């Protein structure tokens, strides 16, 4: 038995380095490219997946200021986005203050309103005209702020016309104002709010009349009533239109309240049209009645004239002659009181002295003056149109069936409608009731394919980047990195059955053979330094070889026992 020389074992190289050395150049290149691409994909995914925190830069901006700010942000390469509804502009949180300062240096936003703080920046040498102009600008700014405080007003502008007051002018020109308001979407100004704006502006300027304030909206429509229209009563009054609409709604509600309990809700539709007279008329009439008797008549004036010639009572008077010697005859009708007795000459009340009496009496004329003023808002005519749905009932099989109303039912409903609106035939009112089936609109079904719907496309756009990153990483990992890792792994030990050493003879040859060139058997460890580290199977085979060389008799007995099929002791 020969002694085996033991050689000190050299330090084994790193398993990773050894596996890399076993790869060829192409495999190493593919592995390196795959690892580099995988690292790049991971970095890009982290960078793109990291969403910066956005904060509000400006809110409540006008469209003009918002467009100017967005254009400037694009020029500055600052990312931005809008809040829900577009009411605010958001930028990354770490750049909010920097962007605000840079935009302020450019004069953005320009929509800020300045008030009386303009008076604090008076410079030395300012003229009286400049002071007056600055005061006017400050007053306009303060009025603008007050008007913008209303919930319905989005923005406003106020223009004041303040003439110079001069004591040498006999008639001073009065100030006036114009207000332009932009309302919020879906909002309107009622008459009370409009009057409030007018009186706010008029009360803020001395000697300004409310009729000198004009209010317009952003479409150019005059909201306040002009003085000319107020003087001549022309134009359409919004209050009158509102009165007509309210009246029509009340009549319509009356009809629905009567018919809905009979035919069911949503089975009747009604519309009432009212013609209302808002004209103001005034008429004056005088009535003269014939004169009544003197006891019932009122004396307006009475004049009595008596003349006397101063002669002897009862003596002759007048021009000498036959006529003057005749006595006066009595009066045919008394003027006032009892008639005087007739004398021989026919004169009434004549005495010897020659007295003349005249009496004139004026009576009042019976007159009646009547002034009639027509009332406003009188209903001239009413027209009602009513549509009633067919009645729905169940047949013998339980299926719903629709049928029309009978003529008696239609007449009864028509009578109810007439009574509810106060039908007046002399006024020209009309009521028309029709029975017809209602058309039920079916819910529209969206036939658009799911891949063409906006929400699907939006979801695909939002998921495209992360999904694409994951797919690219998977392709790189499976196509480049995984084959390289497989090639780096040590090959598995070949089974003994595949090398022909599976039988008893093969095992014996493997134990006693000194040939290191046989397949599935590594070279002796004592013969030199192996390039690769020994596997556990190689170590066991080397121990068996040493046992066979050191004690061949025992090994032979073991093999003999295997061959005979006996169990080893």
């Amino acid at each position: 038995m020969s002694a085996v020389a033991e050689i000190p074992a050299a330090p084994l190289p790193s398993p990773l380095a050894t596996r890399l050395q076993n790869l060829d150049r192409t495999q190493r290149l593919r592995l390196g490219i795959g690892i580099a691409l995988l690292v790049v994909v991971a970095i890009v995914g982290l960078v793109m997946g990291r969403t910066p925190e956005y904060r509000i830069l400006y809110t409540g901006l006008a469209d003009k200021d918002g467009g100017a700010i967005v254009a400037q942000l694009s020029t500055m390469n600052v990312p931005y986005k809008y809040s829900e509804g577009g009411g605010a502009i958001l930028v990354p949180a770490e750049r909010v203050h920097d962007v605000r300062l840079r935009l302020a240096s450019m004069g953005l936003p320009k929509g800020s309103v300045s008030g009386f703080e303009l008076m604090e920046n008076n410079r030395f040498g300012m003229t009286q005209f400049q002071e007056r102009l600055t005061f006017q600008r400050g007053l306009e700014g303060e009025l603008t702020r007050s008007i913008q405080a209303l919930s319905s007003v989005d923005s406003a502008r106020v223009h004041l016309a303040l003439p110079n007051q001069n004591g040498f002018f006999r008639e001073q020109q009065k100030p006036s104002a114009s207000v332009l308001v932009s309302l919020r979407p879906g909002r309107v100004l009622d008459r009370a709010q409009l009057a409030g704006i007018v009186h706010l502006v008029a009360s803020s300027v001395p000697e300004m009349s409310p009729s000198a304030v004009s209010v317009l909206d952003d479409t150019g429509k005059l909201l306040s009533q002009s003085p000319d229209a107020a003087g001549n009563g022309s134009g359409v009054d919004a209050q009158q239109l509102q009165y007509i609409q309210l009246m029509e709604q009340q009549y319509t509600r009356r009809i629905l309240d009567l018919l809905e309990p009979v035919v069911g809700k949503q089975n009747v539709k009604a519309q009432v049209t009212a013609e209302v007279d808002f004209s103001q008329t005034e008429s004056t009439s005088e009535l003269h009645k014939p004169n009544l008797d003197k006891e019932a008549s009122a004396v307006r004036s009475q004049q009595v004239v008596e003349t006397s010639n101063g002669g002897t009572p009862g003596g002759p008077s007048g021009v000498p002659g036959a006529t003057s010697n005749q006595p006066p005859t009595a009066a045919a009708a008394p003027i006032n009181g009892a008639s005087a007795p007739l004398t021989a000459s026919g004169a009434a009340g004549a005495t010897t002295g020659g007295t003349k009496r005249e009496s004139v009496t004026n009576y009042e004329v019976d007159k009646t003056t009547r002034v009639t003023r027509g009332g406003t808002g009188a209903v001239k005519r009413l027209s009602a149109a009513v549509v009633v749905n067919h009645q729905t009932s169940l047949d013998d099989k339980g299926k719903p069936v629709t049928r029309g109303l009978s003529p008696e039912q239609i007449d009864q409903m028509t009578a109810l409608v007439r009574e509810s609106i106060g039908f007046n035939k002399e006024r020209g009112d009309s009521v028309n009731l029709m029975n017809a089936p209602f058309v039920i609109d079916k819910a529209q079904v969206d036939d658009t394919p799911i891949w063409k719907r906006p929400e699907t496309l939006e979801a695909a756009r939002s998921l495209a980047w992360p999904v694409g990153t994951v797919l690219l990483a998977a392709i790189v990992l499976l196509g480049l990195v995984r084959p390289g890792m497989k090639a780096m792994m040590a090959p598995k030990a070949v089974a003994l059955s595949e090398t022909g050493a599976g039988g008893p003879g093969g095992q014996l040859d493997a134990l006693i053979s000194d040939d290191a060139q046989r397949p599935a058997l590594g070279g002796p460890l004592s013969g030199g330094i192996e390039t690769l580290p020994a596997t556990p199977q190689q170590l066991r085979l080397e121990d068996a070889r040493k046992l066979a060389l050191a004690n061949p008799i025992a090994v032979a007995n073991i093999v003999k026992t295997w061959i005979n099929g006996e169990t080893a002791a």
Side-chain angles (χ1 to χ4, degrees), residues 496 501 503-515 518 521 537 539-552 554-556 558-560 562:
L496 295 178
Q507 294 178 359
L508 180 60
D509 293 338
L511 290 174
I512 64 177
S513 175
D514 294 332
D515 188 5
R518 294 181 64 87
L521 294 178
Q537 185 178 6
L539 294 177
R540 290 194 298 270
L541 290 175
E542 186 64 26
D543 293 338
R545 188 182 292 111
K546 289 180 181 180
L547 178 61
L549 294 176
N551 196 353
V555 173
I558 294 173
V559 174
K560 181 180 179 180
W562 289 351

Side-chain angles (χ1 to χ4, degrees), residues 23-30:
L23 301 178
D24 55 7
R25 183 176 181 182
T26 303
Q27 293 176 342
R28 293 178 184 177
L29 183 61
R30 291 177 59 188

Side-chain angles (χ1 to χ4, degrees), residues 42-119:
I43 294 175
V44 172
L46 290 175
V47 172
M48 298 301 296
R50 179 177 176 270
T51 304
E53 182 183 0
Y54 280 81
R55 291 186 180 179
I56 296 177
L57 179 65
Y58 292 110
T59 183
L61 294 174
D63 294 340
K64 186 176 181 180
D65 289 340
I69 291 176
V70 167
Q72 196 62 37
L73 291 177
S74 301
T75 305
M76 297 164 56
N77 294 326
V78 177
Y80 64 90
K81 64 180 183 179
Y82 303 100
S83 64
E84 188 68 23
I89 300 177
L90 294 86
V91 297
E94 62 273 7
R95 305 191 63 178
V96 171
H97 302 290
D98 179 39
V99 172
R100 282 181 181 173
L101 293 176
R102 295 176 64 181
L103 291 176
S105 64
M106 302 176 186
L108 295 176
K110 298 180 180 180
S112 58
V113 180
S114 299
F116 281 133
E117 59 268 16
L118 293 174
M119 304 296 295

Side-chain angles (χ1 to χ4, degrees), residues 319-567:
V319 179
T323 305
S324 60
N325 295 328
Q326 298 293 329
T329 61
I335 298 176
N336 193 3
S339 59
L342 294 177
T343 60
S345 61
T351 59
T352 308
T355 303
K356 182 180 180 181
R357 182 184 182 193
E358 295 181 358
S359 176
V360 179
T361 304
N362 295 323
Y363 295 93
E364 290 287 349
V365 179
D366 191 2
K367 180 181 68 173
T368 302
T369 303
R370 181 176 298 171
V371 179
T372 304
R373 293 183 178 88
T376 59
V379 178
K380 296 175 60 179
R381 185 173 181 270
L382 289 177
S383 300
V386 183
V387 180
V388 181
N389 191 13
H390 280 183
Q391 291 183 346
T392 303
S393 59
L394 299 178
D395 58 3
D396 299 337
K397 297 181 179 180
K399 295 182 180 180
V401 177
T402 59
R403 58 183 178 84
L405 298 176
S406 62
E408 292 78 8
Q409 291 177 331
I410 294 178
D411 294 340
Q412 292 176 359
M413 292 182 181
T414 304
L416 287 176
V417 173
R418 289 178 178 177
E419 294 296 332
S420 64
I421 65 173
F423 181 81
N424 189 353
K425 187 177 181 180
E426 297 178 356
R427 194 171 54 187
D429 296 349
S430 63
V431 174
N432 188 5
L433 190 145
M434 183 181 70
N435 179 225
F438 286 4
V439 178
I440 301 176
D441 296 334
K442 296 182 179 179
Q444 297 181 357
V445 180
D446 190 4
D447 298 334
T448 306
I450 190 172
W451 59 87
K452 293 184 179 180
R453 296 181 181 178
E455 57 271 13
T456 305
L457 296 177
E458 185 66 25
R461 293 190 190 98
S462 60
L463 296 177
W465 180 255
V467 172
T469 304
V470 173
L471 291 178
L472 182 60
I475 292 173
V476 173
L477 182 62
L478 297 178
L480 298 176
V481 178
R482 188 170 179 268
M485 297 299 295
K486 279 187 176 182
M488 289 177 58
M489 296 177 62
K492 296 181 179 179
V494 182
L496 295 178
S497 60
E498 297 176 359
T499 60
Q507 294 178 359
L508 180 60
D509 293 338
L511 290 174
I512 64 177
S513 175
D514 294 332
D515 188 5
Q517 302 298 326
R518 294 181 64 87
L521 294 178
L525 296 177
S526 59
I529 302 175
E530 293 288 334
T531 304
L532 294 176
T535 62
Q537 185 178 6
Q538 292 176 349
L539 294 177
R540 290 194 298 270
L541 290 175
E542 186 64 26
D543 293 338
R545 188 182 292 111
K546 289 180 181 180
L547 178 61
L549 294 176
N551 196 353
I553 298 174
V555 173
N557 291 334
I558 294 173
V559 174
K560 181 180 179 180
T561 304
W562 289 351
I563 294 174
N564 294 332
E566 299 176 358
T567 304

